[in-house]
Amino acid sequence: MSITKRNYVYQIIYQVLVSILPFITSPYIARVLGADSIGIYSYTYSIVSYFGLFAMLGIFTYGNRAIAKAKNDQEELNKTFTSLYVLHVGLSVVALLAYVGYILVFIRENKLIAVVQTFYLLAQLFDINWFFFGMEKFKLTVTRNCIIKILTVILIFLLVNKKEDLWVYALIMSAGQLLSVFLIWPYLPKYARFCRVTLKEVFVHLKPMFILFFAVIATSVYSYMDKIMIGSMSSYEQLGFYENSWKMIEFPVGFITALGTVMMPKISNLITQHDDETINKYIYKSMRFSLIAACAIAFGVAAISTEFSVVFWGDDFAGCGIIMTLLSATIIIMSWNSVVRAQYLIPREHDRVYLIAVISGAVVNLLLNAFLIRRFGAAGASVATVLSYFTICMVQNCYSRRALSLMKFFFESVPYFIIGLIMYFIVRFVAGFMKVGICTLLVEVIVGALSYGVLTLIYALIKKDTFVIEIMINVKNKLLRKHV
């Protein structure tokens, strides 16, 4: 197995774990804490996340790329890592002090929760996962993060037992992030060491990091600001609905966008070797795979959302059904955006294009949120989120259309969009004959998976879609080898 495939497997394993654990804890937390408390946690976490963004200053993307380009020269690697981390520490300390000042001056309610969230900023200070991602050492970060995720779940069930335990839940979540970054440090000396660097070598990274930082800030508008706006303009209950719904969208998206996380350092390194043929092959396969998977997941989530929200979180969260349905459209758009961004724009240092795209999306999101949230609450924010990601997609596509075969990708994916739509109507038709319950939900999932799989197979065979047929042959061969 190639290092790229192996790294993708590690990322998928991590995403599987990240997806399964909320399925275990989310129903419990929803019933123990309730929508209001979940909303309070989401609100305070969104605020501290903004301070965390200033601490990171785009280092995850920039550092990943810089390390990938320097990893073949040990001296250059040591210098790059040291200068980046020195800059990161300085920014993190400033962000931490600013957050402490924010708590002392502005916080009047839920102060304990805000204080507990400080551990999140401490985790940002010691976070060097970007270094190992750039080195393509995904196994190190994934295995340790998996351990912490499992420990976090155990502690939640043991210690969070009533609504007043919101601060305990917040402490477990934030301290877990801090512990996970500590566990990776003992492995650093094997790959890089701190060395003496000049201030010029440190600050040379500041400008390119700022460009990516502004992109991160713009992206945060529909990652954190929308939640802050719901909590301020609507209610914590509506924010609780949005928080749970968005989590269920993020999890499947993580499976698809994990490919971009793995491919970005790989393609960055290939660019230094001027291997355009291999790069184009990777991008084509990534886009095809991402969109076929995204169509299945997006229409699948939309089809089961009504029953899922009640079965999973209880009758009090029935309002999540429409929100999940609206947000499911982002799965396809985000998957497309991820390939263009992580495998073309960022590796080729087209950071300004990426910045313009996300700023455009952020402006659309803020304007629509200001108008829609007061009237429609979380549903209004969902519509704004979908349109903002679509805006990003259009801007990125306008710039990349000549370098990438975007129209080819689009037309080759339309049939799978139609198959996903057919699957949606089949599942809703079946659901119409059953009452809301766990059995109905299981039947919907099985019917949806079978209908999409069978229709995809039929279409691939009729049209002789070699890409899909090759995937099926590979899966078949691997299954046969396991039984030999």
Side-chain angles (χ1 to χ4, degrees):
M1 183 183 293
S2 68
I3 186 171
T4 302
K5 291 182 179 179
R6 187 164 61 247
N7 285 337
Y8 184 56
V9 169
Y10 290 138
Q11 283 295 98
I12 287 297
I13 291 173
Y14 181 64
Q15 289 300 331
V16 168
L17 184 68
V18 169
S19 300
I20 291 175
L21 294 184
F23 274 89
I24 298 172
T25 61
S26 187
Y28 177 77
I29 291 299
R31 288 166 172 81
V32 171
L33 297 182
D36 282 342
S37 294
I38 292 175
I40 291 170
Y41 173 79
S42 178
Y43 185 78
T44 56
Y45 178 77
S46 297
I47 290 175
V48 75
S49 295
Y50 264 104
F51 288 89
L53 292 178
F54 281 92
M56 297 302 287
L57 200 71
I59 195 173
F60 195 90
T61 300
Y62 177 80
N64 186 336
R65 184 177 68 193
I67 295 298
K69 291 184 176 182
K71 69 178 183 179
N72 295 328
D73 183 332
Q74 187 62 54
E75 183 178 348
E76 183 65 25
L77 179 65
N78 292 340
K79 186 184 297 184
T80 300
F81 169 72
T82 303
S83 57
L84 281 172
Y85 190 68
V86 168
L87 181 59
H88 172 60
V89 168
L91 294 168
S92 297
V93 171
V94 172
L96 183 60
L97 293 175
Y99 182 68
V100 171
Y102 164 78
I103 293 175
L104 294 175
V105 176
F106 295 102
I107 295 296
R108 293 291 178 268
E109 57 180 2
N110 303 315
K111 179 171 285 190
L112 176 59
I113 308 301
V115 170
V116 168
Q117 298 284 21
T118 305
F119 284 103
Y120 171 78
L121 282 180
L122 289 174
Q124 301 295 302
L125 173 63
F126 295 102
D127 190 356
I128 54 170
N129 279 295
W130 47 269
F131 171 81
F132 290 96
F133 276 29
M135 294 293 294
E136 297 188 77
K137 303 298 179 182
F138 289 84
K139 182 180 179 180
L140 285 173
T141 59
V142 167
T143 52
R144 278 136 196 86
N145 285 336
C146 286
I147 293 171
I148 297 302
K149 290 292 184 184
I150 294 172
L151 178 61
T152 297
V153 170
I154 295 172
L155 290 176
I156 287 173
F157 281 115
L158 289 176
L159 303 177
V160 181
N161 303 307
K162 54 186 182 297
K163 193 171 184 178
E164 291 73 21
D165 289 337
L166 174 60
W167 73 271
V168 179
Y169 175 71
L171 179 60
I172 292 171
M173 298 297 287
S174 58
Q177 292 192 52
L178 179 59
L179 181 58
S180 68
V181 298
F182 276 148
L183 289 178
I184 201 70
W185 274 88
Y187 298 89
L188 177 65
K190 182 178 179 181
Y191 303 100
R193 296 182 180 276
F194 286 103
C195 62
R196 187 183 298 276
V197 293
T198 64
L199 286 177
K200 182 179 179 180
E201 290 171 328
V202 171
F203 287 110
V204 73
H205 300 291
L206 196 57
K207 182 179 178 180
M209 282 177 63
F210 256 116
I211 294 174
L212 290 173
F213 166 69
F214 286 123
V216 173
I217 286 293
T219 303
S220 73
V221 168
Y222 29 84
S223 298
Y224 305 119
M225 183 57 74
D226 53 354
K227 297 174 185 178
I228 294 174
M229 293 178 74
I230 295 171
S232 301
M233 300 168 64
S234 184
S235 67
Y236 285 135
E237 181 185 48
Q238 284 290 308
L239 179 52
F241 293 162
Y242 187 83
E243 174 72 13
N244 276 358
S245 300
W246 185 242
K247 281 182 180 178
M248 291 301 106
I249 298 299
E250 283 185 313
F251 296 142
V253 168
F255 288 100
I256 302 171
T257 57
L259 185 59
T261 304
V262 171
M263 292 304 300
M264 187 173 70
K266 182 74 175 180
I267 290 180
S268 295
N269 191 258
L270 286 171
I271 288 173
T272 63
Q273 302 173 29
H274 306 289
D275 192 351
D276 291 335
E277 182 179 349
T278 302
I279 291 171
N280 291 335
K281 181 181 69 174
Y282 278 139
I283 293 176
Y284 174 78
K285 290 185 175 181
S286 297
M287 185 66 85
R288 290 297 316 279
F289 171 78
S290 296
L291 291 179
I292 292 171
C295 288
I297 296 171
F299 285 105
V301 168
I304 69 172
S305 60
T306 300
E307 291 74 25
F308 180 89
S309 58
V310 175
V311 171
F312 202 60
W313 296 306
D315 292 335
D316 291 342
F317 286 83
C320 290
I322 183 63
I323 299 171
M324 285 179 63
T325 300
L326 292 170
L327 288 174
S328 64
T330 63
I331 295 174
I332 298 175
I333 303 171
M334 290 171 69
S335 299
W336 179 291
N337 290 352
S338 175
V339 175
V340 177
R341 179 189 70 249
Q343 299 187 43
Y344 177 71
L345 295 178
I346 300 300
R348 294 189 180 276
E349 301 186 22
H350 297 317
D351 301 340
R352 293 182 184 275
V353 178
Y354 174 49
L355 175 60
I356 292 171
V358 294
I359 288 178
S360 300
V363 171
V364 170
N365 190 264
L366 282 173
L367 293 176
L368 290 177
N369 274 340
F371 176 74
L372 295 174
I373 288 178
R374 292 190 186 277
R375 295 191 177 198
F376 306 107
S382 301
V383 173
T385 297
V386 172
L387 293 177
S388 66
Y389 277 110
F390 183 74
T391 301
I392 293 173
C393 182
M394 290 298 98
V395 175
Q396 289 187 165
N397 290 351
C398 285
Y399 182 83
S400 309
R401 68 187 186 280
R402 294 178 181 175
L404 303 176
S405 304
L406 296 180
M407 293 307 296
K408 179 182 179 181
F409 298 149
F410 176 77
F411 285 116
E412 288 185 350
S413 301
V414 167
Y416 299 100
F417 184 93
I418 296 173
I419 290 172
L421 190 60
I422 294 172
M423 174 191 68
Y424 171 84
F425 285 114
I426 291 174
V427 172
R428 293 316 306 158
F429 178 78
V430 171
F433 294 96
M434 305 177 72
K435 294 182 179 180
V436 175
I438 190 168
C439 290
T440 300
L441 184 60
L442 291 174
V443 169
E444 288 177 349
V445 171
I446 294 171
V447 168
L450 287 176
S451 59
Y452 191 88
V454 171
L455 290 172
T456 297
L457 176 60
I458 292 172
Y459 174 79
L461 292 174
I462 292 174
K463 288 295 184 179
K464 297 181 180 180
D465 190 330
T466 56
F467 178 80
V468 176
I469 293 173
E470 284 178 8
I471 292 177
M472 293 180 176
I473 291 174
N474 288 334
V475 172
K476 176 186 174 182
N477 291 338
K478 287 181 180 180
L479 290 175
L480 289 175
R481 282 198 294 270
K482 287 182 179 180
H483 290 86
V484 173

